[in-house]
Amino acid sequence: MDIARTPSAPDGNPEMADAAPTPQEPVEIRREDYKPFPWLVPEIALEFDLGLEATRVVSTLTVTRNAKADASPTIRLNGDTLEPLSVQVDGEMASDWSMDGDDLIIPLAGETHELRITTQINPSENTTLMGLYASEGMLCTQCEAEGFRRITFFPDRPDVLSTYRVRMSGSKAQFPVLLCNGNLEAQGEGEDGMHWAEWHDPWPKPSYLFALVAGDLVANSDSFTTCGGREVALNIYVREGDLERTGHAMESLKKSMRWDEEVFGREYDLDLFNIVAVSDFNMGAMENKGLNVFNTKYVLADPETATDGDFDGVEGVIAHEYFHNWSGNRVTCRDWFQLSLKEGFTVLRDQLFSQDMGSAPVKRIEDVRVLRGAQFPEDGGPLAHPIRPDSYREISNFYTATVYNKGAEVIRMMRSMCGEGRFRAGTDLYFDRHDGEAATCEDFIKAMEDGAGLDLSQFRLWYSQAGTPKVSVKLEHAGDTATLHLSQEVPPTPGQPDKQPMPIPLRVALYDVDSQKHNGEQLVTLNESQESFSFSGYSKTPILSINRGFTAPVVIEREVSQSDLVFLAAHDDDPFARYEALQDLIVGHLKAAVAGDLSDTAKRAGEEAITGAVAAILADDALDDLMRGELLVLPSEGYLAETMLVADPAAIHAERSALRAAIASALEDDFVALHQRASAVAYDLSAEARGARKVKTQALIYLAAGNPDRAKAIAAEQYKNADNMTDRQGALMVLAGLDGFERTSALMDFYNRYQGNALVIDKWFSLQSMSMHPDALEHVKALAEHPQFTLKNPNRVRALYMGFAVNPQAFHAESGEGYRMIADLILALDPINPQTAARFVTPLGRWRRIEPKRSALMKAELERIAAAGNLSRDTSEQVSRSLG
Ligand code: TRP
Ligand code: ZN
């Protein structure tokens, strides 16, 4: 489809296109306006008459007045693109109902009533992938955050908890498998090839956790016995041909279930746990009670089609959704401002799980890299918000790296401050106290104070203040005492000009220069804007290692010599700190180079220091290859840009490429030797073999910068001999960035080899859009016309356009064409899938932090989007905040 020439999609969702003919005042939802719902809905019974084009839904609600809320003469039931076909109250047809916008208002006089409402939906036309929709012939739902109101009228808010009884019926040929939350209680055959199933979920839940799936699916079935002796049937449902790629997901699920028992004392609470994989999905996966729905990307994996990174992704997301059963489902959120209560906590839980399953230090480095790459830019841009936001227009826009990843860091700090044992006491108390409730972040904090014995009064600021704190560090030495001077500054963010100092826990160690050892690390907590800490017993100035393990999500600013960083990069016994020292060394050098602050001699000296540190890492036999591979990754251009007030993407790209080329030329033979050594390791999933594959591709990336012809030959060989996707993708990635016959033929081979496997074809798109090739932008333009490209599938859209948007060299083309392409995409995608469209506003929103010429071009594209009519609430909120 031609996005560049189709500013508005002709085949968009007609419901969306017709909506809001006159621009409506944006409605701001505010946290302080929270009021409990006037009615309780203890029970809901749903009947689904399933059809791809028409599904009829009859909903029966038992409602009773909420004694803890203000009384109301009516009940407001949320709807979205719904029409009530009939409304009954206590068995009688009602006619006194009315619509207020999308909501249904029914007058109710008594204490308790039964409401019966009929709606009809067209799942095939639902391209938003929210509510009930069709995906490759199957029907499935996505209700978080506000999708249930696209199915039936209901108080669609997380603090209304009900038990669900669901009867679903449909054609047995079309939908042989009928799934819903909870337990299957009855099933049977009807007339004319119809069949039905009745499901009951005994656990009260909010509507966002409802799910239903109907389709032609097969299951990988297994079982798990919980610590309490409950036998749980496990099923992973996929399309027929995908069954053989579900083994890793099943293993990951069983490991997650065991780990949550052992580490958090959480046992599963139903006899059945189902997972369904869907190819059209807006996010990674969804934790619906007893029926998790997954993006195929996070279920399917085998060595032939999935990289080591993909295997980790599956393991992490399976764990994440499973862990939500307690942190999210048993204890849910009072309102969507509390989203981090479940997401931040669950991300921390999945991170800790993955640390335990593999290499803990490598996992920590990867998590910090994600935080810096995705969350720091949020904190430093127009969309900055606290982990517990104060207001929103469209909640889908707040499923952010801030709420998820910074949210996890904030809870991790609590854990660092009290230690594992007390942390467990705190989470035990939290689960115990709030089981079955819709809780708040404040409830979590309080449980941590009471259970873990922490005083978090000042620490609460981490929930309310946005922005990444900057900590300035100075180490002074006199006599036998080293004094650490720390000061902090939380930068102003939109709506929050003035900030208060927050408690910042930092693990530190002081290295004695002679023995090259430290005598134990300490946790210091900076509470004030300025504080000093003294350490005695140092006759010479020690070398400071700070924020070890990345105890606090802050930026450390300090004057430190290159030689100290070289020392730490070689000797720090905290793996994260070692990584950090090398990163600091490189970032410091590149910032100075980009600013034009380096003489030729200084530049060469910097390159030599970095090359020396890289050489030491290549030669260090004590390092495992997984960690070696991690240490070899250069800071990304995006992260470098983030460390500068105003960035020139072209200069960053040039300097970073030059440094890589310098390292690669100096160490060419070492990289070739590393590649050869690693290539001798046979494929398996052990840490050793995974490490070998990681350094192999890192070596190729360096070689491509230092000696492209040699790299091309080795990469072509690696591609040809690959017996797994990690090697094949790594080689193809390097080839895609270079010119020549090898590039074309490998890309063609890859496409032909994996035609029909959507997830691998996604890789084919993203390898090209993310490539280092100077013509990447032209390639993306051509790929948008490819018959396999479609705006209807979010994975495909992300593969092509997110890959492009994070490729600075292509996206920031001087002409502004990259910005125009993303703006055209947003306008074309918005009527089809507003949630996914809105995610593409962020890269353009960085305009204030980019050099003036590009900045003006970016802003102009945002203004062009803003001027277009009929924008979704999702996109218009992001665009107006980005311009604001
Ligand atoms: N709760 C899901 C998770 O983090 C997120 C999610 C899945 C979601 N699908 C969504 C959020 C659609 C918003 C819209 O595990
Ligand atoms: Zn989640």
Side-chain angles (χ1 to χ4, degrees):
M1 136 159 257
D2 183 354
I3 293 175
R5 270 172 242 151
T6 327
S8 65
D11 53 353
N13 182 341
E15 291 164 356
M16 290 303 302
D18 292 345
T22 47
Q24 287 193 342
E25 273 293 291
V27 181
E28 198 81 19
I29 319 279
R30 288 182 315 180
R31 184 165 60 89
E32 61 185 25
D33 293 344
Y34 172 80
K35 281 208 183 73
F37 193 62
W39 298 89
L40 304 175
V41 188
E43 281 172 25
I44 171 169
L46 288 163
E47 284 170 61
F48 284 86
D49 229 325
L50 299 168
L52 289 172
E53 261 82 46
T55 289
R56 196 162 268 256
V57 186
V58 180
S59 166
T60 308
L61 314 179
T62 313
V63 305
T64 164
R65 288 193 182 271
N66 182 357
K68 291 186 187 137
D70 297 341
S72 168
T74 61
I75 188 168
R76 171 183 293 266
L77 302 176
N78 305 116
D80 183 357
T81 62
L82 284 182
E83 245 182 84
L85 297 185
S86 92
V87 178
Q88 289 178 32
V89 176
D90 301 322
E92 305 279 329
M93 261 325 190
S95 55
D96 53 353
W97 55 269
S98 60
M99 297 296 289
D100 179 22
D102 282 330
D103 295 345
L104 172 63
I105 314 284
I106 308 173
L108 292 179
E111 267 306 302
T112 299
H113 294 280
E114 190 193 83
L115 312 180
R116 204 173 161 85
I117 298 159
T118 306
T119 51
Q120 184 166 310
I121 37 196
N122 181 340
S124 295
E125 262 188 11
N126 180 359
T127 58
T128 65
L129 312 185
M130 292 299 289
L132 179 69
Y133 63 95
S135 171
E136 298 188 310
M138 76 192 245
L139 287 174
C140 64
T141 56
Q142 170 57 38
C143 292
E144 188 178 3
E146 297 178 338
F148 193 71
R149 61 183 68 183
R150 299 174 60 90
I151 298 173
T152 184
F153 290 98
F154 194 76
D156 194 12
R157 41 188 286 168
D159 61 345
V160 174
L161 275 63
S162 321
T163 51
Y164 284 64
R165 189 170 286 284
V166 176
R167 181 188 162 95
M168 51 203 290
S169 66
S171 149
K172 190 173 183 180
Q174 212 173 6
F175 311 117
V177 173
L178 301 173
L179 303 172
C180 199
N181 314 90
N183 301 312
L184 176 63
E185 297 221 312
Q187 56 184 326
E189 313 251 326
E191 285 160 32
D192 303 330
M194 304 293 278
H195 72 153
W196 56 269
E198 278 179 16
W199 291 82
H200 176 241
D201 181 358
W203 297 102
K205 65 170 176 287
S207 52
Y208 83 88
L209 290 172
F210 169 80
L212 166 154
V213 172
D216 191 358
L217 299 163
V218 291
N220 175 353
S221 301
D222 206 327
S223 74
F224 179 86
T225 309
T226 68
C227 53
R230 183 195 286 268
E231 179 92 2
V232 184
L234 311 176
N235 299 293
I236 300 182
Y237 284 94
V238 295
R239 297 161 62 80
E240 174 99 57
D242 290 332
L243 197 56
E244 63 225 8
R245 286 195 279 279
T246 55
H248 180 64
M250 184 61 86
E251 286 315 301
S252 302
L253 174 59
K254 290 188 282 184
K255 285 181 191 166
S256 305
M257 296 177 84
R258 190 62 73 211
W259 187 90
D260 212 16
E261 292 179 350
E262 288 170 355
V263 178
F264 278 90
R266 301 295 112 201
E267 186 186 357
Y268 189 62
D269 55 6
L270 286 168
D271 300 329
L272 181 59
F273 188 78
N274 286 329
I275 288 177
V276 179
V278 180
S279 356
D280 301 284
F281 203 72
N282 279 342
M283 305 268 284
M286 180 62 213
E287 70 263 26
N288 319 298
K289 184 80 188 191
L291 178 55
N292 288 3
V293 176
F294 271 64
N295 189 322
T296 44
K297 183 174 163 60
Y298 294 109
V299 173
L300 306 178
D302 70 0
E304 169 72 21
T305 59
T307 62
D308 295 333
D310 295 330
F311 272 79
D312 288 345
V314 169
E315 184 178 83
V317 177
I318 292 266
H320 180 97
E321 305 311 330
Y322 174 72
F323 296 159
H324 268 314
N325 190 56
W326 274 95
S327 48
N329 302 2
R330 287 287 287 263
V331 183
T332 193
C333 300
R334 186 192 73 174
D335 55 63
W336 293 119
F337 297 104
Q338 320 299 326
L339 184 57
S340 200
L341 174 72
K342 75 177 176 82
E343 295 304 345
F345 187 27
T346 304
V347 169
L348 175 66
R349 278 151 55 66
D350 84 55
Q351 289 179 348
L352 296 174
F353 165 76
S354 295
Q355 284 187 1
D356 283 354
M357 294 301 115
S359 162
V362 168
K363 174 64 179 161
R364 186 65 188 133
I365 292 171
E366 285 170 356
D367 289 338
V368 174
R369 188 178 289 139
V370 169
L371 188 81
R372 285 175 167 161
Q375 198 279 322
F376 280 23
E378 270 174 22
D379 254 349
L383 305 178
H385 53 278
I387 65 170
R388 184 189 57 208
D390 291 314
S391 71
Y392 63 78
R393 278 177 245 165
E394 170 52 60
I395 186 57
S396 297
N397 288 331
F398 285 80
Y399 286 74
T400 60
T402 298
V403 167
Y404 276 63
N405 303 67
K406 186 177 181 178
E409 293 298 327
V410 168
I411 301 176
R412 191 188 282 260
M413 281 191 282
M414 297 180 193
R415 183 171 177 268
S416 300
M417 291 187 298
C418 65
E420 266 174 61
R422 280 166 58 195
F423 182 70
R424 169 69 191 271
T427 60
D428 280 354
L429 181 62
Y430 167 71
F431 287 125
D432 190 47
R433 210 182 248 180
H434 299 289
D435 188 8
E437 290 181 9
T440 61
C441 295
E442 177 57 29
D443 290 331
F444 184 86
I445 298 169
K446 197 82 187 55
M448 276 297 144
E449 293 191 314
D450 298 347
L454 286 165
D455 174 358
L456 298 172
S457 21
Q458 189 196 354
F459 190 86
R460 282 170 170 75
L461 288 165
W462 279 102
Y463 281 83
S464 59
Q465 294 193 149
T468 307
K470 285 189 172 49
V471 177
S472 302
V473 179
K474 232 173 91 188
L475 188 69
E476 265 180 4
H477 180 256
D480 82 330
T481 304
T483 308
L484 183 58
H485 301 286
L486 301 177
S487 65
Q488 63 166 296
E489 195 205 314
V490 189
T493 47
Q496 296 189 332
D498 301 306
K499 301 282 171 55
Q500 289 167 255
M502 305 196 281
I504 298 177
L506 298 164
R507 256 165 48 203
V508 300
L510 294 168
Y511 277 88
D512 176 74
V513 277
D514 295 327
S515 67
Q516 304 198 332
K517 296 227 160 18
H518 64 81
N519 45 18
E521 59 174 30
Q522 294 190 37
L523 186 75
V524 301
T525 303
L526 170 64
N527 290 302
E528 314 290 326
S529 33
Q530 280 188 30
E531 263 178 275
S532 299
F533 303 85
S534 291
F535 306 87
S536 59
Y538 296 91
S539 57
K540 291 183 187 160
T541 310
I543 296 175
L544 171 68
S545 167
I546 191 163
N547 205 13
R548 294 156 69 82
F550 202 71
T551 34
V554 301
V555 171
I556 301 285
E557 286 182 338
R558 61 164 168 165
E559 272 180 27
V560 55
S561 68
Q562 282 193 343
S563 64
D564 281 5
L565 290 175
V566 169
F567 169 85
L568 293 170
H571 300 291
D572 204 315
D573 62 355
D574 178 86
F576 177 81
R578 187 172 176 184
Y579 160 83
E580 188 75 335
L582 184 60
Q583 294 286 304
D584 278 354
L585 184 64
I586 297 171
V587 172
H589 171 81
L590 287 176
K591 276 175 82 164
V594 167
D597 288 347
L598 296 181
S599 67
D600 285 354
T601 348
K603 195 162 183 175
R604 234 169 301 119
E607 285 174 356
E608 273 164 27
I610 293 166
T611 302
V614 172
I617 281 155
L618 291 178
D620 186 345
D621 292 333
L623 269 180
D624 62 72
D625 275 341
L626 271 179
M627 183 56 95
R628 195 188 322 278
E630 212 58 54
L631 292 169
L632 289 174
V633 180
L634 288 182
S636 73
E637 290 175 30
Y639 173 62
L640 286 163
E642 194 47 42
T643 66
M644 303 168 190
L645 203 54
V646 173
D648 177 349
I652 293 174
H653 181 72
E655 292 298 343
R656 182 174 178 274
S657 306
L659 174 65
R660 176 139 72 194
I663 300 169
S665 309
L667 303 176
E668 182 176 332
D669 292 337
D670 304 79
F671 282 119
V672 172
L674 176 63
H675 188 275
Q676 273 173 0
R677 168 175 71 73
S679 298
V681 181
Y683 181 88
D684 62 38
L685 287 171
S686 67
E688 192 207 351
R690 293 171 53 122
R693 292 191 287 279
K694 191 159 160 186
V695 294
K696 215 191 292 181
T697 295
Q698 281 302 317
L700 273 184
I701 292 172
Y702 277 96
L703 284 173
N707 186 343
D709 285 333
R710 199 169 179 189
K712 217 186 295 179
I714 301 175
E717 196 63 15
Q718 176 172 320
Y719 181 90
K720 201 174 81 206
N721 297 333
D723 63 356
N724 64 83
M725 183 52 78
T726 306
D727 284 349
R728 194 181 296 287
Q729 179 182 288
L732 187 59
M733 172 183 71
V734 168
L735 289 173
L738 300 169
D739 264 320
F741 156 78
E742 292 87 344
R743 172 184 201 275
T744 333
S745 86
L747 279 170
M748 204 181 333
D749 175 85
F750 191 90
Y751 183 82
N752 291 332
R753 193 184 282 260
Y754 298 110
Q755 223 174 337
N757 185 323
L759 293 175
V760 187
I761 297 302
D762 288 340
K763 295 179 185 298
W764 184 80
F765 277 94
S766 66
L767 282 168
Q768 296 177 75
S769 65
M770 292 175 72
S771 105
M772 302 279 291
H773 197 285
D775 300 333
L777 184 144
E778 294 302 321
H779 298 155
V780 171
K781 246 199 263 177
L783 287 168
E785 310 278 349
H786 193 281
Q788 289 300 307
F789 183 74
T790 167
L791 287 178
K792 297 263 171 75
N793 180 272
N795 285 1
R796 192 57 48 88
V797 171
R798 283 186 286 255
L800 185 60
Y801 284 104
M802 262 314 164
F804 174 72
V806 301
N807 183 344
Q809 189 229 144
F811 176 62
H812 290 293
E814 219 182 337
S815 62
E817 202 174 350
Y819 311 142
R820 192 157 66 239
M821 282 164 64
I822 291 299
D824 285 337
L825 165 73
I826 293 168
L827 290 169
L829 188 56
D830 193 52
I832 299 173
N833 186 333
Q835 215 178 86
T836 302
R839 302 242 154 205
F840 285 89
V841 176
T842 326
L844 289 171
R846 307 249 154 91
W847 62 278
R848 271 180 234 268
R849 307 272 311 270
I850 303 288
E851 58 82 17
K853 193 161 166 269
R854 287 180 174 84
S855 178
L857 293 166
M858 294 167 86
K859 184 171 180 237
E861 292 302 334
L862 284 171
E863 284 164 345
R864 179 162 70 91
I865 302 170
N870 278 343
L871 283 183
S872 67
R873 193 166 50 192
D874 309 60
T875 296
S876 75
E877 176 176 32
Q878 296 304 71
V879 169
S880 68
R881 287 168 67 212
S882 297
L883 284 167

